[in-house]
Amino acid sequence: DRASNQEGLTLAGLLMFGRTSAIQAVEAVPGFHLDFRERFSDDPRVRWSDRLTIDGTWEANLFQFYQQVMTKFAGDPGLKRPFAQDAEGVRSLVTPVHDALQEALVNALIHADYNGQGGIVIDRYADRFEFSNPGTLLVSLEQILRGSVSECRNVYLQRMFQMLGVGDKAGSGIDKIRTSWKAQHWQSPRLEETQRPDRVILSLPMVSMLPAPVLEELQERFGDRLRTLDKDAVQARVTATMEESVSNQRLQEILTLHRRDITTLLQTLVRGGYLVADGFGRGTSYTVTEGEGAGQPGSA
């Protein structure tokens, strides 16, 4: 503290490198929690197939957690493994998917509200990753998707991760993740907030954007009319089928169109009988058409 000339640990330094007992002390962050869980089993009695959490077997600080989770990403059986090695013979994480997972992990660590509830939780399901951290978004979702604004809750943590070569300050993290996922033709990442407790959840589905069974269903239902739709319209209709509904905000996460253009696209799909609108204004959601009249112009 330059004003008082007193020296000591910063909270960021304690979180990053401290001993677990010191971090969880009443004077520091008593609710501090870290959890990585692999949920590959279909048996509901099996809660997880692998877990890394605060159990007394390791010093559970952010640096150790980051290193161990990155090791788990490197050995994930569902991801293609790179073969490049560094000068010391350590396999390097060079694929876009691993880069995206690294970015998502660091974002969860530097944007978390460590006074909030629930701690950092990373779930690896058979078909997706989920990164969850306490806190709220500091900028709007629309600003995040544009990548034009960066607001970090824990600036000193961000600086330390930047010294490790990760954690871009320019607000392009979510864009990097979306680009990497799009290159795999997977469904677009989904970012959402929950309240009571306040949490931010980033879901990274490892599911095709255009699954063959869904496209076959559309072809059977709409026939030659389907050829009149461009790729963005088809993606909107497929998303509505797979997620049971779709909204303008959700399509902003998936498509590269402006919000106004997405509104026009959705209205066109409603007029064509591909979707049904429910609600008004920005709260409008769109569901797939049903019944005998489905798929006929004007039936919506």
Side-chain angles (χ1 to χ4, degrees), residues 99-148:
D99 282 344
L101 292 173
Q102 181 183 57
E103 192 74 29
L105 172 60
V106 172
N107 280 349
L109 297 179
I110 67 176
H111 292 298
D113 177 1
Y114 287 98
N115 291 316
Q117 300 179 37
I120 308 292
V121 179
I122 302 170
D123 284 312
R124 168 63 162 112
Y125 296 91
D127 62 347
R128 70 188 185 280
F129 288 88
E130 283 189 3
F131 296 79
S132 175
N133 62 267
T136 59
L137 296 175
L138 298 182
V139 297
S140 70
L141 182 58
E142 188 171 353
Q143 289 174 311
I144 292 174
L145 294 177
R146 287 203 305 264
S148 57

Side-chain angles (χ1 to χ4, degrees), residues 10-249:
T10 63
L11 179 58
L14 181 65
L15 288 168
M16 192 72 163
F17 300 113
R19 295 184 180 276
T20 311
S21 58
I23 297 174
Q24 292 183 323
V26 175
E27 301 86 353
V29 190
F32 181 75
H33 181 68
L34 301 170
D35 210 344
F36 174 88
R37 303 174 294 204
E38 288 184 352
R39 299 174 176 270
F40 289 149
S41 176
D42 293 329
D43 188 340
R45 295 171 297 180
V46 180
R47 299 178 64 186
W48 48 75
S49 52
D50 186 26
R51 189 182 189 190
L52 172 68
T53 190
I54 301 177
D55 57 7
T57 62
W58 58 295
E59 289 298 346
N61 54 47
L62 298 187
F63 182 69
Q64 293 288 339
F65 185 68
Y66 166 78
Q67 286 193 313
Q68 294 199 49
V69 172
M70 288 302 296
T71 298
K72 290 185 179 296
F73 289 160
D76 190 295
L79 302 178
K80 294 180 179 179
R81 302 184 188 183
F83 293 97
Q85 295 180 338
D86 62 20
E88 298 178 352
V90 178
R91 181 168 287 183
S92 174
L93 298 181
V94 295
T95 71
V97 171
H98 288 93
D99 282 344
L101 292 173
Q102 181 183 57
E103 192 74 29
L105 172 60
V106 172
N107 280 349
L109 297 179
I110 67 176
H111 292 298
D113 177 1
Y114 287 98
N115 291 316
Q117 300 179 37
I120 308 292
V121 179
I122 302 170
D123 284 312
R124 168 63 162 112
Y125 296 91
D127 62 347
R128 70 188 185 280
F129 288 88
E130 283 189 3
F131 296 79
S132 175
N133 62 267
T136 59
L137 296 175
L138 298 182
V139 297
S140 70
L141 182 58
E142 188 171 353
Q143 289 174 311
I144 292 174
L145 294 177
R146 287 203 305 264
S148 57
V149 179
S150 177
E151 187 70 31
C152 183
R153 181 174 273 108
N154 303 297
V155 176
Y156 294 120
L157 286 177
Q158 183 183 48
R159 289 181 184 175
M160 283 188 276
F161 276 109
Q162 286 174 337
M163 292 178 184
L164 297 175
V166 294
D168 193 350
K169 191 176 180 179
S172 61
I174 190 65
D175 188 56
K176 180 186 296 184
I177 295 170
R178 293 173 68 196
T179 300
S180 298
W181 240 242
K182 186 175 182 180
Q184 304 301 313
H185 303 289
W186 287 336
Q187 291 178 27
S188 180
R190 187 163 196 166
L191 187 64
E192 59 183 336
E193 289 182 286
T194 62
Q195 284 78 40
R196 297 184 181 181
D198 293 337
R199 296 190 68 80
V200 176
I201 303 170
L202 175 64
S203 179
L204 303 179
M206 302 167 66
V207 179
S208 173
M209 294 179 65
L210 298 172
V214 177
L215 291 176
E216 291 172 3
E217 181 269 334
L218 289 178
Q219 184 62 47
E220 180 179 349
R221 190 168 189 178
F222 297 105
D224 291 340
R225 291 186 57 225
L226 192 63
R227 299 177 184 176
T228 65
L229 300 181
D230 62 23
K231 62 180 180 62
D232 291 329
V234 172
Q235 184 63 69
R237 181 57 171 77
V238 168
T239 303
T241 298
M242 299 186 64
E243 300 182 5
E244 298 185 353
S245 68
V246 72
S247 65
N248 191 304
Q249 180 174 307

